[in-house]
Amino acid sequence: MSSAAAALVLDVRNLAVDALTPEGRKPVLRDISFDLTAGETLCIAGESGSGKSVTSLAIMGLLPKASLRVASGNIILGDRDLLTLSNRAMRSVRGGDIAMVFQEPMTSLNPVMSVGAQLTEAIREHQGSEQAEAVALRMLDAVQISEPTRRLRQFPHELSGGMRQRVMIAMALSCRPKVLIADEPTTALDVTVQAQILKLMRELKSEFGTSIILITHDMGVVAEMADRVIIMQHGRIVETGRSATIFNTPSHTYTQQLLAAVPRLGAMAGTDGPPRVTPQTGAVPRPDRAPVMNVSGLNVSYGTPSGRFFAGTPPVKAVSDVSFDIRPGETLGLVGESGSGKSTTGKAVLGLIPFTGDVVIDGRNIAGLGQRDMLPVRRAAQMIFQDPYASLDPRMAIGPAIAEPMLIHGIGNKTERQDRVEELLRRVGLAPDTATRYPHEFSGGQRQRICIARALALEPRIIIADESVAALDVSVRARVLDLLLELQEAYGLAYLFISHDMAVVERMCHKVAVMRHGKIVEAGSRRDIFENPKDAYTQSLMDAVPTLPPAPARATA
C-alpha cells in the first residue's frame, strides 16, 4: 500500500468484471487494484472503453446484471467487502458512505420532481425527515447556487448545465459520504463553469474531508485536481503514480501518447495559423479570394406573440448585430460560454432558424429564402453537430446515410454514389466495407468521422462545426482535428469552428471571434486574441483553462 493503513478509506483488490455475451463471458476489467486514503483525490484517466466507468459502477454495486458481472476481487470499505453485501445493505452504503456524481446531470435528475423534493428524498433516506429541507438549503448554499430557496421549487429543466451539476454534487454530499465518485463531472461544461465546479470540489473536500475518485479523459482536469493518477487502457491499469510523476516523467507509452495528444493553450504562440498536416499541399488560407461566407448585422430573437387565447412571451435577443466573413481555406473560431449565442449563430447562418440581417453564402444572400431556394445553397454549406449519434438515423446503415445528401440533390446514379461513399469513408480513415454497419456499431470518434464524411458528400465550400470534438477522448479528438486540417488543406475548405475549448480553438483557427450575451465582444487574428486579448472576458476564458506541464516527448518504441 502507498499510504498508512490507518488512513485507508477504500481498498480495491484484484477486481475483474466480465461482459455476458451470446458467445460467453468476455473480460472487461482485469486485475484492478488501488487504494484511496482520507482526504485524497484519485483520478482515473483513459479513453472511452478503458474501463473507468465500469470500475466506478462496480464500486457502487450498479453494474447492469444483464450484461456485466463481477468475476472476482474485493472492494473493501472500512471493514466490509461491498461485493458480499445484499442489495438492502448496499442501499445504505450508496449515498451514505459512497456517493456518485454522473456525467450528465439532466439524465440523472428526475424531470418531474422539483430540485427540493429530490434533495430531501436523499436526506430522508439516510438521515431521517427532521430538518431535511434545512439541510437541503444548506447544501445548495455550500455549492454556491444563487437564490437557493427559489431553486428548491424549480425543476431540472429550469436550471443551466452548471447549476444542475451543482445540484448533483449537493445531493451527493448531503449525507457526508466518506467517498465521492465523480464520473466525467465537467466534460460538457464551459471552461469557466468547469473551473468553478473544480474549485467547488476542492473546497468541499477541504470542508467535509471527503475522499474523491475523479474519472475523466480530460488530462487538464487531472493535472488540476489529482493527488494520485491511475491510467487505464483496455480494462487494465497500465500506470499509476503521483500526479507530478505522471505528467513530468510518464513511463508507459500509452500515457505518453495521451499527454502528447492534449492541446495546450499557448503552444501555438508566435505563429499565424494552424499547424500543417500535409506540407506538400497548397498554402491556406486564400486572402485574395472573395469570402465564401459574409455575415452582416445578424440578429436572432426568441419569443412568442400574444394570441387570442394565450399571452405571448416578450422577445429575447439571443444574437445581436453579429458580423464576420470567412474566406476559402480559412477557419474562424467562435468561442464563448453556454448561452453566449455561438450555436444559435451557427444555425442561423445556415437558415435553420429565423433571423434578420444578411448572410451571403457563396455569393448568394439567404435572407428570406424558402426551403426550395435554399437547396443549392446547402450544397455549398454543411454542418457537423456536437453529438454524432444524435445526428445519424439509428435505423439507417452509414453507407446510405452518407449517400442520402447526394440522393436529395440528384447527384450521380446509384453506382456513382456508392463509389463516392467508399471514397469518402477512405478519406476519413474508415474501411469501405463498414458502409453496411449501423451507427451503434461504431465508437464516438468513428461516428464523428462518419458525420464528417456525410458533410463532405456534396463537396461544400464551408463547414460549420458546432462543438464537433467536445465529447471526444483526447487522442480521438487529436485525430479528428488533424483530419479536419488535412481536409482543409486538400480541398480549400472554410470552417466556422464553434467551441468553448480555447486550446482547441488556438490549434485550429486563423481568426477568432469571442461572443458574450449574443454579441461579439472581441475579434481578430488568432495571434491577436490569444497573445494580446483586449477584453477582460476573453482573458477570463483563457485563465479558466486548466494548465498542463509541457508535453513529454512521444515514445519511439
Side-chain angles (χ1 to χ4, degrees), residues 368-446:
L369 291 184
Q371 287 301 313
R372 183 181 296 276
D373 294 327
M374 277 294 296
L375 203 61
V377 178
R378 300 207 189 282
R379 288 197 63 173
Q382 287 287 298
M383 192 162 191
I384 303 170
F385 294 93
Q386 177 174 355
D387 186 347
Y389 193 71
S391 306
L392 296 167
D393 187 336
R395 299 166 299 177
M396 184 181 286
I398 66 161
I402 294 171
E404 186 179 38
M406 294 182 279
L407 185 63
I408 291 171
H409 286 266
I411 298 173
N413 56 39
K414 184 175 181 181
T415 302
E416 290 170 338
R417 289 194 293 269
Q418 287 177 340
D419 291 342
R420 175 69 172 152
V421 167
E422 291 181 3
E423 177 193 343
L424 288 168
L425 286 171
R426 289 192 190 95
R427 199 73 186 83
V428 299
L430 295 173
D433 60 10
T434 59
T436 57
R437 292 164 58 185
Y438 288 81
H440 72 273
E441 298 180 76
F442 296 88
S443 69
Q446 288 173 323

Side-chain angles (χ1 to χ4, degrees), residues 482-531:
D482 282 346
L483 172 64
L484 291 174
L485 290 172
E486 183 183 339
L487 293 170
Q488 183 175 59
E489 294 178 9
Y491 300 121
L493 285 171
Y495 293 126
L496 176 60
F497 193 84
I498 300 169
S499 179
H500 63 251
D501 191 324
M502 298 299 285
V504 169
V505 168
E506 185 189 28
R507 170 175 163 75
M508 290 293 294
C509 300
H510 302 92
K511 300 189 301 186
V512 180
V514 182
M515 290 193 72
R516 188 184 192 194
H517 303 323
K519 296 181 178 180
I520 292 178
V521 298
E522 186 169 7
S525 70
R526 195 274 310 280
R527 198 166 180 176
D528 289 340
I529 298 298
F530 281 91
E531 297 181 32

Side-chain angles (χ1 to χ4, degrees), residues 6-251:
L8 205 61
V9 175
L10 183 71
D11 187 11
V12 178
R13 304 175 188 168
N14 305 314
L15 178 66
V17 173
D18 289 342
L20 307 180
T21 71
E23 294 78 29
R25 289 187 175 228
K26 293 187 177 179
V28 175
L29 296 182
R30 279 296 175 265
D31 197 28
I32 302 299
S33 297
F34 61 87
D35 56 56
L36 182 70
T37 57
E40 181 183 35
T41 298
L42 175 70
C43 283
I44 303 178
E47 297 173 291
S48 294
S50 62
K52 308 185 305 295
S53 294
V54 173
T55 301
S56 68
L57 292 174
I59 294 171
M60 293 293 293
L62 293 175
L63 289 175
K65 290 183 171 58
S67 57
L68 294 172
R69 196 74 53 83
V70 173
S72 61
N74 306 95
I75 301 174
I76 310 299
L77 178 72
D79 57 356
R80 294 173 294 176
D81 186 344
L82 301 185
L83 296 179
T84 65
L85 298 184
S86 65
N87 289 334
R88 181 182 292 274
M90 275 303 298
R91 282 191 64 185
S92 66
V93 171
R94 294 189 206 107
D97 293 317
I98 305 179
M100 190 164 181
V101 178
F102 294 92
Q103 177 174 353
E104 179 43 68
M106 192 61 186
T107 58
S108 304
L109 294 168
N110 191 326
V112 299
M113 288 178 67
S114 68
V115 167
Q118 295 184 66
L119 269 169
T120 54
E121 181 184 46
I123 295 165
R124 289 190 179 102
E125 174 70 24
H126 295 281
Q127 297 183 6
S129 59
E130 292 184 13
Q131 304 297 316
E133 188 166 328
V135 173
L137 269 174
R138 191 162 61 248
M139 290 310 303
L140 286 183
D141 189 56
V143 298
Q144 301 169 24
I145 280 188
S146 60
E147 303 179 82
T149 303
R150 177 175 163 234
R151 305 301 178 200
L152 286 177
R153 298 191 298 271
Q154 290 184 308
F155 290 81
H157 72 272
E158 299 179 88
L159 305 180
S160 69
M163 281 189 177
R164 287 195 291 263
Q165 198 61 286
R166 288 169 188 261
V167 169
M168 287 296 299
I169 293 172
M171 192 181 301
L173 291 174
S174 60
C175 298
R176 306 288 180 93
K178 297 173 184 175
V179 178
L180 173 67
I181 301 175
D183 188 1
E184 301 279 11
T186 62
T187 293
L189 302 181
D190 300 323
V191 285
T192 49
V193 179
Q194 172 182 274
Q196 293 164 10
I197 294 295
L198 296 180
K199 180 175 181 285
L200 171 66
M201 290 177 69
R202 287 194 298 270
E203 291 173 351
L204 294 174
K205 183 180 81 165
S206 175
E207 179 180 350
F208 297 111
T210 302
S211 302
I212 296 175
I213 297 177
L214 181 60
I215 296 168
T216 183
H217 65 249
D218 189 329
M219 299 306 289
V221 171
V222 174
E224 185 123 334
M225 295 291 293
D227 297 312
R228 282 190 301 132
V229 182
I230 289 172
I231 304 294
M232 292 188 67
Q233 183 187 29
H234 304 320
R236 295 182 181 273
I237 294 175
V238 297
E239 187 167 1
T240 183
R242 305 297 299 178
S243 179
T245 303
I246 294 293
F247 280 95
N248 294 321
T249 56
S251 60

